[in-house]
Amino acid sequence: MTSPDRRHLRWRKSSYTGSAAQDCVEVARADEREVAVRDSKDPDGPMLMLTGGQWETLLRACRVG
């Protein structure tokens, strides 16, 4: 997997995140196969690149706890 150009990513936070929340994870669709994940406190820091299947697995694990 290659890292996409950050300038073209449209980052978003969960709708459950309040406006005052600082500890957030942001996600962006990198392309039709990958999702980029980053720490909102460090927008220029590292990104985690996940395939669609990995993203779905992560979401299921978060829902279960």
Side-chain angles (χ1 to χ4, degrees):
M1 288 184 256
T2 60
S3 290
D5 184 347
R6 290 173 187 265
R7 295 171 294 180
H8 297 104
L9 295 177
R10 297 177 68 200
W11 295 98
R12 57 192 171 94
K13 294 179 187 178
S14 168
S15 59
Y16 292 102
T17 301
S19 60
Q22 294 180 11
D23 297 325
C24 303
V25 172
E26 296 177 315
V27 298
R29 173 64 70 183
D31 61 28
E32 65 277 352
R33 300 174 315 246
E34 295 179 322
V35 175
V37 182
R38 72 178 182 185
D39 182 346
S40 64
K41 294 185 306 290
D42 189 12
D44 295 320
M47 293 183 293
L48 179 62
M49 298 301 299
L50 302 172
T51 65
Q54 291 169 327
W55 176 244
E56 291 297 324
T57 299
L58 176 63
L59 291 178
R60 272 194 301 277
C62 289
R63 288 180 186 121
V64 170

